[in-house]
């Protein structure tokens, strides 16, 4: 065997990967296309938020001191529904102005009472209780002009994209999507939608991996799956390395004679490690093909998914300095025993149900790494450190699928 690290822990594998940098660039993108993207700069607000004092309620604006002896009656001197209408209004002693949510506060008023607590008769409003000062949203109380509300590396969730607009930005600099080539290998693989002959299975890894790449905010490109020949592999790897930022292969990285991804990488590529102490998912390799980073992921569908989540995703996030998408984790009570495999970090698929406000995790019987149905029908995976074993009733960390 060549002299690259072999059978390393996930932590060691990640450190090795981090020595290889993915080149990222920045592009300016309209807000419509910013969801799930990664902000590339510290983004200051172009305005105060809110830009002016305004009402938090549909109701009336008045002087608080006129309402302390509620019920109180005030003269209605006007209505403010939009900016500009407050210009000529000054709320004096014993007066009130009808006001809509978000409308600017008139001069003289220092409080609001919502419409539900008032009754109107002719030009007079009766308040059933004193008015509220905290129903005024103060200029700049959320953000002040120039304040950096979102920092470089922020993963743009819906509320964050909305905040970019609140701050006055119509387009923002984001990390350009990495183009990730996905190549499945194996003579037995057929595209879904075609007939299976004896010995063939439907190719599924490229679809799952493609979703995981999109989840991280990048662009998957599913290339044709290739048969188990060194020559075909060489052609597709050369093509992928000339066009894409990263290559993910699946299959052909185990110990067998037909594990040709491993073989071609050992003979013609540059392997940085092979095999990790992870179950499922021990066979992967990482290295360079023509200077393009390449992960040789396992062929078993559960394994390729797990290796992406545990290794590929953290490494990509590290390269883009991104704070998301976050890996959802929680604690659950075990309803069945779970056990790790040997010296491997072990992930056991579990269904998670809410029982009287507590999460309860049940391990399915069949944990085979080829059993994608068991993963698709599970809500999470219990994370077990090497050698760890848990009993019924123990509290365990689960990673959501
Ligand atoms: P391999 O590592 O190539 O020996 O593959 C391990 C197992 O995963 C075999 O049962 C393969 O048939 C299966 N497999 C490999 N690639 C895929 C794929 N793209 N989609 C679904 N199953 C696959
Ligand atoms: Mg294979």
């Amino acid at each position: 065997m060549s002299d690259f690290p072999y059978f390393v822990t996930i932590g060691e594998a990640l450190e090795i990967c981090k020595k290889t940098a993915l080149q990222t660039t920045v592009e300016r993108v309209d807000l419509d296309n910013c969801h799930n993207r990664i902000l590339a700069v510290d983004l200051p607000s172009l305005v105060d938020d809110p830009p002016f004092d305004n009402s938090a309620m549909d109701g009336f604006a008045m002087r608080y001191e006129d309402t302390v002896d509620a019920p109180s009656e005030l003269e209605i001197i006007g209505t403010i529904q939009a900016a500009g209408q407050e210009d000529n209004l000054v709320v004096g002693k014993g007066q009130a102005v009808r006001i809509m949510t978000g409308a600017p506060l008139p001069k003289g008023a220092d409080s609001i009472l919502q419409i539900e607590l008032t009754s109107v008769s002719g030009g007079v409003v009766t308040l059933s209780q004193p008015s509220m000062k905290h129903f005024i949203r103060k200029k700049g109380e959320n953000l002040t002009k120039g304040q950096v509300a979102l920092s470089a590396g922020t993963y743009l969730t819906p509320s964050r994209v909305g905040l970019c607009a609140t701050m006055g930005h119509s387009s923002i600099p984001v990390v350009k999507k990495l183009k990730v080539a996905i190549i499945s290998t194996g003579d037995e693989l057929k595209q879904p939608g075609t007939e299976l002959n004896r010995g063939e299975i439907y190719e599924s890894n490229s679809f799952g991996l493609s979703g995981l790449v999109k989840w991280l905010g990048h662009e998957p490109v599913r290339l044709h799956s290739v048969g188990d020949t060194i020559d075909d592999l060489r052609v597709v790897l050369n093509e992928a390395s000339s066009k894409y930022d990263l290559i993910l292969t699946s299959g052909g990285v185990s110990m067998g004679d037909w594990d040709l991804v491993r073989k071609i990488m050992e003979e013609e590529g540059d392997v940085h490690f092979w095999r990790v102490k992870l179950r499922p998912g021990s066979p992967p390799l990482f290295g360079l093909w023509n200077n393009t980073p390449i992960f040789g992921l396992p062929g078993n569908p559960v394994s390729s998914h797990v290796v992406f989540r545990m290794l590929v995703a953290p490494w990509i996030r590290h390269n883009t300095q991104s704070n998301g998408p976050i890996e959802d984790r929680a604690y659950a009570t075990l309803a069945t025993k779970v056990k790790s495999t040997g010296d491997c970090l072990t992930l056991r698929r579990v269904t998670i149900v809410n029982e009287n406000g507590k999460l309860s995790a049940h391990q399915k019987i069949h944990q085979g790494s080829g059993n994608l149905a068991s993963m698709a029908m599970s809500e999470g995976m219990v994370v077990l450190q090497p050698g760890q074993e848990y009993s019924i009733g123990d509290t365990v960390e689960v990673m959501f699928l």
Side-chain angles (χ1 to χ4, degrees):
M1 192 193 305
S2 321
D3 61 345
F4 44 76
Y6 174 76
F7 206 38
V8 294
T9 65
I10 277 287
E12 288 163 345
L14 192 53
E15 286 311 309
I16 293 171
C17 293
K18 282 181 183 173
K19 289 184 187 148
T20 298
L22 263 177
Q23 298 309 322
T24 58
T25 51
V26 173
E27 63 179 349
R28 183 169 275 277
V29 166
D30 289 343
L31 284 196
D32 278 323
N33 298 314
C34 284
H35 291 276
N36 298 354
R37 302 293 298 270
I38 299 148
L39 183 63
V41 297
D42 288 346
L43 202 66
S45 184
L46 302 178
V47 292
D48 288 328
D49 172 38
F52 50 88
D53 290 356
N54 67 87
S55 174
M57 292 285 168
D58 286 329
F60 289 86
M62 67 290 289
R63 298 156 16 123
Y64 173 72
E65 62 187 86
D66 295 348
T67 72
V68 283
D69 297 325
S72 39
E73 292 187 347
L74 303 173
E75 175 201 356
I76 302 171
I77 60 162
T79 298
I80 304 171
Q81 173 260 326
Q85 295 170 347
E86 83 283 18
D87 288 350
N88 301 318
L89 284 174
V90 180
V91 179
K93 186 171 169 53
Q95 296 181 326
V97 162
R98 197 188 305 267
I99 194 164
M100 308 305 155
T101 305
L105 197 73
K107 287 184 213 70
D110 63 0
S111 58
I112 303 284
L113 196 65
Q114 66 264 49
I115 199 143
E116 299 89 316
L117 300 176
T118 67
S119 61
V120 175
S121 171
V124 171
V125 57
T126 304
L127 315 185
S128 63
Q129 64 164 67
S131 57
M132 317 267 198
K133 291 194 172 182
H134 68 266
F135 283 159
I136 295 168
R137 302 163 173 164
K138 291 282 188 194
K139 174 180 173 168
E141 74 177 7
N142 303 330
L143 291 176
T144 51
K145 186 175 173 180
Q147 183 180 341
V148 172
L150 298 171
S151 51
T154 297
Y155 180 75
L156 293 165
T157 57
S159 61
R160 291 167 182 166
V161 175
L163 183 61
C164 293
T166 300
M167 297 196 293
H169 298 278
S170 61
S171 65
I172 52 171
V174 293
V175 174
K176 199 163 182 206
K177 286 185 185 181
L178 295 165
K179 285 197 167 158
V180 182
I182 299 174
I183 303 162
S184 302
T185 72
D187 287 336
E188 74 283 22
L189 304 177
K190 266 287 191 64
Q191 286 303 301
T194 60
E195 278 293 311
L196 287 184
N197 296 314
R198 191 177 143 73
E200 294 176 337
I201 59 165
Y202 289 123
E203 192 283 302
S204 64
N205 285 347
S206 70
F207 296 96
L209 291 170
S210 174
L212 286 165
V213 170
K214 286 185 189 166
W215 166 70
L216 283 182
H218 300 290
E219 186 181 331
V221 182
R222 288 191 320 104
L223 302 184
H224 288 297
S225 60
V226 289
D228 292 313
T229 80
I230 287 277
D231 289 341
D232 289 352
L233 260 179
R234 189 183 301 110
V235 169
V236 73
L237 290 178
N238 283 341
E239 186 200 334
S241 62
S242 69
K243 290 191 190 156
Y244 304 108
D245 300 303
L246 168 65
I247 304 170
L248 305 180
T249 62
S250 77
V253 282
S254 297
M255 314 278 207
D257 287 343
W258 291 101
D259 287 321
L260 299 183
V261 174
R262 173 187 51 77
K263 203 162 183 187
I264 196 172
M265 280 298 294
E266 281 193 58
E267 288 170 3
E268 302 176 36
D270 181 5
V271 179
H272 292 189
F273 69 76
W274 176 40
R275 302 198 71 215
V276 291
K277 293 178 180 169
L278 175 68
R279 279 296 175 92
S282 58
L285 64 74
F286 174 76
L288 298 175
W289 180 270
N290 289 343
N291 271 326
T292 301
I294 173 170
F295 281 93
L297 301 179
N300 278 309
V302 174
S303 308
S304 64
H305 186 114
V306 166
V307 174
F308 190 100
R309 290 280 295 268
M310 300 304 287
L311 198 56
V312 183
W315 176 70
I316 291 180
R317 258 191 234 114
H318 167 80
N319 276 283
T320 57
Q321 296 290 305
S322 166
N323 68 357
I326 50 169
E327 287 279 7
D328 284 330
R329 292 196 181 198
Y331 289 91
T333 308
L334 273 179
T336 44
K337 282 188 187 176
V338 291
K339 196 169 180 282
S340 62
T341 306
D343 53 356
C344 291
L345 180 74
T346 304
L347 300 167
R348 297 284 183 221
R349 279 148 272 163
V350 285
T351 52
I352 301 173
V353 290
N354 188 331
E355 282 171 2
N356 303 322
K358 278 191 107 181
L359 297 182
S360 163
H362 305 242
Q363 183 183 251
K364 295 235 164 108
I365 301 159
H366 184 19
Q367 294 276 319
S369 56
N371 185 357
L372 191 55
S374 81
M375 180 171 237
M377 292 170 190
S378 297
E379 282 77 37
M381 296 184 287
V382 175
V383 183
L384 292 130
Q385 296 305 316
Q388 222 168 16
E389 179 170 352
Y390 288 114
S391 310
I392 294 171
D394 285 350
T395 301
V396 290
E397 187 181 16
V398 290
M399 191 172 162
F400 283 99
L401 282 164

